[in-house]
Amino acid sequence: MIKYASCAFFLPLAGCGDSNTNVEKPSIRFELDAPVENAFSGSSVQFQKDCMVGLCMYKYSLAFSEPLRADLEMVSDAGSLKFDDVVSTKLTTFESDIVTSANVTLGGVKTDAEHTEAMMYHAQLLDKLRAEGWRRFILQDEARIPGTEAQKFKPYYVLDK
């Protein structure tokens, strides 16, 4: 009888421990210019839908303090990108169920990280994007020449300014 009583006492204690040991890392997989349902079926996370006048956004986010960041694979005609420290993803559709754009927020380095560590993270991220074929896109209202080249042009004045 004492054996059963001790087992009944110690068995619940054996189940106590770190609750994150069996937690699976969230994964997100989506394709640009493909149905948003593909993202739902290819991801292990639940997206929250928010629609307004034909524009729908599907968002998944974690707190920056969350230790377990999401894995992401984004597929497009240009290739695929993979990240392992995603904190937030927002997929957008407009008047259809086709994903037209996506915003992805990466977790970056820890808040107490050294500046050099943050700079290395940024440089590695840019190298990864360049290796996948991504290039800088200059918006229509942005300057087309760098500041060092702009100094070579003679300034012009409008209304004495």
Side-chain angles (χ1 to χ4, degrees):
M1 180 69 176
I2 292 178
K3 290 181 189 179
Y4 296 116
S6 62
C7 286
F9 178 74
F10 287 113
L11 187 60
L13 292 178
C16 296
D18 188 12
S19 62
N20 291 333
T21 55
N22 292 332
V23 176
E24 188 174 320
K25 189 170 184 177
S27 67
I28 302 166
R29 186 184 188 285
F30 67 92
E31 300 174 53
L32 291 175
D33 299 324
V36 72
E37 286 82 17
N38 294 358
F40 301 153
S41 62
S43 304
S44 68
V45 301
Q46 294 292 322
F47 290 93
Q48 294 189 0
K49 181 179 180 179
D50 184 20
C51 291
M52 176 178 61
V53 191
L55 178 72
C56 288
M57 290 178 268
Y58 303 88
K59 185 174 182 183
Y60 171 76
S61 64
L62 297 167
F64 275 93
S65 60
E66 186 77 30
L68 196 59
R69 307 277 170 86
D71 287 333
L72 178 130
E73 181 180 7
M74 181 187 75
V75 180
S76 71
D77 293 338
S80 68
L81 278 176
K82 294 181 181 183
F83 298 104
D84 62 356
D85 63 338
V86 174
V87 175
S88 170
T89 303
K90 181 173 63 175
L91 307 177
T92 306
T93 63
F94 183 67
E95 295 183 348
S96 71
D97 68 340
I98 304 298
V99 177
T100 56
S101 66
N103 293 340
V104 175
T105 304
L106 301 178
V109 296
K110 296 178 183 173
T111 55
D112 60 348
E114 296 288 327
H115 181 71
T116 53
E117 186 179 346
M119 293 298 292
M120 283 180 19
Y121 175 85
H122 183 73
Q124 289 170 351
L125 181 61
L126 288 177
D127 290 343
K128 181 178 184 175
L129 290 172
R130 285 186 190 115
E132 291 291 332
W134 289 72
R135 300 288 174 248
R136 182 174 177 231
F137 179 77
I138 300 174
L139 296 173
Q140 292 178 350
D141 60 347
E142 288 183 320
R144 299 294 197 268
I145 56 174
T148 56
E149 294 293 317
Q151 295 174 352
K152 296 178 183 177
F153 291 92
K154 182 178 179 182
Y156 62 93
Y157 293 92
V158 175
L159 301 175
D160 296 329
K161 294 186 181 181

